[in-house]
């Protein structure tokens, strides 16, 4: 063996050795990085809302499965139906794996429909998954005289809403535009609690609520006392939680209208999707995804969620990504119709 050959063999052996240890070193670096650190969970909803309650349970259990056993804190960032928090993942938050975004399903399609919301692109983050699916329904105060779904087509109902492009406004707007309901929508409330307060004061009569949101806080009392009724489930199948409430399948018959509704309803399968900035190092991303997988299989976590009225129905990050890709493959004609519903007149 001549000198040049010997050098080449030596280099090759060194390369093989480096490759062989790359995996363990990567894993060790994630553990070393997270030891003594604090993970910040950015929650795109007010404190005390269902999203916030679920996120805090997530924070409590998630760190148990993280290498290095970091601590976790929750930071609530509200505004624009969750878009402010989502955008912060791509502009303000560190991309070192110490920040996790607990986002909203409308964050998956609003940037596709509204170019003014281009500070966030759901294709430009890494998804960990979602803990549950989300269903919406319409509720109204019984004093309004609107106590059934059919009443929505005969009587005017004032509906509170938060962000102009949030589901609590766009879903009633869809019903008005394509089914002929008579809801007058009042957007601009800061959150769920403020809408319910407005309903009790008589400022508005109802709103589009998540189904799980009816199982926590003031709505529980309002329903039990008969002051509020659930009118219509905003999905295609009857929910076990609302066995006697009609759903959209009884009213939406045209295929093109159903396709438009699906653009807004498909993201519900992602519930409250969880993401991190796209440039998080791969070994830390792997650690985060592994922790998510272990946590959703933890019997204690499952029991804790169920005891608070939020049984988990999780999907992984790949499933969220597939939903995003399906949304971004929507034909332009449907997107044009949807855009008319989410543009503010201001």
């Amino acid at each position: 063996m001549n000198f040049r050959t010997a050098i080449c063999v030596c280099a090759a052996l060194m390369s093989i050795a480096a490759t062989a240890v790359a995996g363990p070193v990567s894993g060790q670096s994630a553990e070393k990085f997270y030891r003594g650190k604090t993970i910040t969970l950015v929650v795109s909803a007010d404190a005390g809302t269902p999203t916030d309650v679920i996120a805090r349970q997530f924070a409590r259990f998630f760190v148990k499965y993280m290498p290095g056993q970091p601590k976790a804190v929750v930071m609530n960032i509200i505004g624009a139906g969750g878009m402010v928090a989502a955008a912060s993942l791509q502009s303000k938050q560190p991309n070192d794996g110490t920040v996790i975004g607990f986002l909203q399903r409308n964050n998956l399609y609003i940037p596709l429909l509204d170019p003014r919301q281009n500070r966030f692109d759901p294709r430009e983050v890494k998804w960990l998954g979602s803990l549950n699916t989300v269903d919406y329904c319409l509720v109204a105060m019984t004093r309004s005289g609107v106590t059934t779904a059919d009443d929505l087509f005969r009587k005017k109902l004032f509906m509170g809403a938060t962000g102009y492009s949030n589901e609590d406004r766009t879903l009633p707007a869809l019903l008005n535009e394509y089914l002929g309901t008579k809801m007058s929508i009042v957007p601009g409330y800061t959150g769920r609690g403020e809408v319910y307060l407005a309903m009790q004061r008589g400022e508005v009569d109802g709103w589009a609520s998540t189904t799980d949101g009816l199982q926590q806080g003031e709505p529980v009392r309002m329903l039990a006392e008969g002051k509020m009724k659930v009118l219509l489930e905003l999905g295609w199948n009857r929910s076990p939680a609302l066995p006697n409430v009609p759903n959209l399948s009884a009213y939406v018959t045209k295929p093109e209208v159903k396709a438009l509704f699906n653009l807004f309803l498909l993201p519900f399968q992602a519930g409250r999707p969880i993401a991190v900035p796209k440039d998080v190092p791969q070994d830390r991303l792997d650690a985060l995804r592994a922790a998510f997988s272990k946590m959703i299989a933890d019997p204690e976590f499952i029991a804790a969620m169920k005891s608070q009225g939020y049984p988990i129905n999780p999907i992984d990050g790949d499933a969220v990504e597939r939903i995003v890709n399906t949304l971004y493959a929507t034909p332009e004609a449907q997107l044009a119709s949807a855009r008319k519903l989410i543009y503010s007149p201001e």
Side-chain angles (χ1 to χ4, degrees):
M1 180 183 296
N2 58 34
F3 179 75
R4 178 175 295 179
T5 301
I7 292 295
C8 290
V9 169
C10 182
L13 290 173
M14 291 177 65
S15 176
I16 293 172
T19 301
V21 300
V25 169
S26 177
Q28 290 171 358
S29 67
E31 182 172 359
K32 181 178 179 181
F33 173 79
Y34 281 113
R35 186 175 295 115
K37 292 286 197 309
T38 296
I39 292 177
T40 299
L41 191 61
V42 173
V43 179
S44 57
D46 274 324
T49 59
T51 297
D52 178 71
V53 171
I54 294 170
R56 290 177 188 275
Q57 286 285 16
F58 173 93
R60 184 164 71 93
F61 282 90
F62 185 74
V63 292
K64 290 170 53 178
Y65 297 103
M66 282 294 297
Q69 298 289 292
K71 296 180 181 179
V73 296
V74 170
M75 178 170 63
N76 298 86
I77 298 180
I78 62 173
M83 293 305 301
V84 174
S88 77
L89 285 184
Q90 293 183 227
S91 59
K92 298 180 179 179
Q93 306 298 342
N95 58 9
D96 60 357
T98 60
V99 175
I100 300 173
F102 213 92
L103 306 182
Q104 304 290 336
R105 53 252 153 226
N106 69 343
N107 301 157
L108 304 184
Y109 65 82
I110 289 301
L112 175 64
L113 300 178
D114 188 350
R116 297 170 298 181
Q117 301 281 9
N118 61 5
R119 291 184 301 153
F120 177 70
D121 186 332
R123 298 166 297 178
E124 295 297 321
V125 293
K126 299 296 184 181
W127 297 101
L128 303 187
S130 176
L131 295 178
N132 59 358
T133 58
V134 168
D135 298 302
Y136 269 80
C137 58
L138 295 183
V139 298
M141 303 297 284
T142 52
R143 57 164 170 73
S144 69
V146 178
T147 57
T148 70
D150 289 342
D151 288 340
L152 292 166
F153 299 87
R154 297 191 290 261
K155 300 179 181 180
K156 192 169 185 177
L157 188 71
F158 288 90
M159 302 290 285
T162 54
Y164 193 87
S165 58
N166 206 15
E167 290 102 338
D168 55 30
R169 194 207 69 85
T170 56
L171 292 174
L174 271 171
L175 294 171
N176 283 346
E177 183 73 17
Y178 292 95
L179 300 186
T181 54
K182 300 182 181 300
M183 290 177 280
S184 180
I185 308 166
V186 184
Y189 290 97
T190 59
R192 171 180 182 270
E194 191 173 26
V195 175
Y196 277 115
L197 185 59
M199 290 167 63
Q200 293 178 79
R201 288 175 173 172
E203 297 172 13
V204 294
D205 302 312
W207 85 308
S209 169
T210 58
T211 301
D212 59 16
L214 301 180
Q215 302 173 37
Q216 183 248 350
E218 190 67 8
V220 177
R221 182 187 63 80
M222 294 166 70
L223 289 169
E225 294 177 356
K227 294 181 178 180
M228 184 174 75
K229 288 198 68 174
V230 184
L231 307 178
L232 178 67
E233 185 168 7
L234 301 177
W236 306 116
N237 301 305
R238 183 161 293 185
S239 167
L242 302 170
N244 300 315
V245 176
N247 56 62
L248 290 175
S249 62
Y251 299 95
V252 180
T253 57
K254 295 180 180 179
E256 65 274 19
V257 176
K258 185 170 184 177
L260 181 59
F261 270 83
N262 276 334
L263 177 61
F264 292 91
L265 298 181
L266 176 62
F268 291 178
Q269 296 178 19
R272 299 171 175 91
I274 303 166
V276 296
K278 70 173 184 177
D279 292 327
V280 169
Q282 188 62 47
D283 64 323
R284 297 172 200 168
L285 177 62
D286 291 342
L288 292 166
R289 285 176 167 168
F292 180 85
S293 296
K294 292 174 183 176
M295 183 195 67
I296 60 176
D298 181 345
E300 186 180 352
F301 173 69
I302 294 170
M305 291 288 288
K306 187 176 181 180
S307 70
Q308 291 196 310
Y310 304 114
I312 69 167
N313 183 20
I315 61 175
D316 62 18
D318 290 339
V320 178
E321 187 174 340
R322 285 194 295 271
I323 290 171
V324 171
N325 291 338
T326 298
L327 292 171
Y328 275 76
T330 301
E332 183 57 36
Q334 289 178 20
L335 294 178
S337 296
R339 287 187 181 114
K340 296 176 183 178
L341 292 165
I342 60 104
Y343 271 97
S344 170
E346 298 179 356

